[in-house]
Amino acid sequence: MNRSLALARAMTVVAALALAPAARAADEPLALLVKLTGRVQVTPVSATKPQPAQFGRPLMRGERLHVPAGGSATVFFNDGNVIELGEKSTIVISGRAAPRGTSGSAMPAEVFKTVAKNLVAGSRETGLVALAPLRGGAEAAPLLESPRRTQVLADRPAFAWRAVDGATRYRLAVSDDRGELWRREVTGTTLDYPADAEPLVRGAEVLWEVEALSDTDALRKEESSFTVASADEADLIRTQAGRIREATGAASTDVALYLEGVYLAGHGVYGEAAERLRELCALTPEAAPAHEALGQAYRSMGLNDRAREELEKAKALAPKK
């Protein structure tokens, strides 16, 4: 977006915010800051001095957002619109943003509700609380990685686990409430769903187990479970994720990755959420909210060693108060 267009859009947003009716209770965010460059600042209602802003910050009614010279910000409003603000822009969050006039650019309000409800960025307390139960003793790292303690959208998911020292092969077995569905033995640590196996039943809870074997001994065994989304739920979540990418202009921008990751986590699709958030952390390695969101996804899956690592990064990168 060129500078003049960004400034014009910012002026339009200011006018819309001034005229639009209030849509939420005062204690709920009306918008989320989902991207920024430069020293963007937010002045809370109860404060007189501005504070440094981070992307992922909820924006409440009456808060003032200022974009400095050379900066920019992207704001996701509760009506589903994603608005880009150019340099030297100042807005007061006082209502919904008017539609941009571009058909298909807005996301459903349900996406905003899910993202806002499950937002972990902008609050270091969330990460610190999460770290407390993760500081245990010499607990062995989980063997099974994906899918574990998550909902999956595909009925033929891929499986991944960690290597075990001394193992020469791994035996994987998959079952549901009907009993064992199939088993395979492989030498690697990943396995695509077998083409000759029946797909998983939609809505079912599935148990999978991996046993690490050497040439002479059984070395380690672990099991975990996941659920398979119904066809309707899977279609809805995929559609909404597509709307996020459409509204943000691409599938692999920081805005799209952040919103889609948090949205998927909000629906319990932690495995795919972690995939998006890992991409986000690679793209924005210095952003504390990215690491915190990924840490929370890992924590939900029971990958506590990885959760601890990401939450420690978030804590180290967080602005000092």
Side-chain angles (χ1 to χ4, degrees), residues 76-82 105-109 111-112 247:
F76 177 27
F77 286 90
N78 62 354
D79 62 356
N81 277 280
V82 178
S105 62
M107 287 176 270
V111 173
F112 181 90

Side-chain angles (χ1 to χ4, degrees), residues 190-204:
T190 61
L191 179 66
D192 289 335
Y193 199 92
D196 59 348
E198 291 293 324
L200 299 173
V201 174
R202 291 286 182 181

Side-chain angles (χ1 to χ4, degrees), residues 7 17 26 34 43 94 132 148 154 166 196 212 223-224 248 258 308:
L7 290 174
L17 290 169
V34 293
T43 305
S94 59
R148 61 177 290 142
D196 59 348
E223 65 180 29
S224 188
T248 53
Y258 185 70
R308 185 187 304 112

Side-chain angles (χ1 to χ4, degrees), residues 236-313:
L236 175 61
I237 293 173
R238 290 289 191 211
T239 298
Q240 304 293 56
R243 294 287 294 275
I244 290 173
R245 294 190 290 271
E246 179 184 352
T248 53
S252 57
T253 64
D254 47 4
V255 176
L257 292 170
Y258 185 70
L259 290 179
E260 189 175 353
V262 177
Y263 174 76
L264 289 168
H267 284 275
V269 189
Y270 300 115
E272 290 196 32
E275 291 178 15
R276 306 299 188 276
L277 295 168
R278 281 195 294 269
E279 290 184 59
L280 176 63
C281 288
L283 188 64
T284 59
E286 301 303 313
H291 293 286
E292 187 173 358
L294 179 56
Q296 294 288 8
Y298 281 147
R299 184 174 183 239
S300 296
M301 292 189 290
L303 295 171
N304 287 351
D305 58 328
R306 293 189 176 174
R308 185 187 304 112
E309 180 181 358
E310 294 301 326
L311 292 171
E312 291 283 11
K313 288 179 182 178

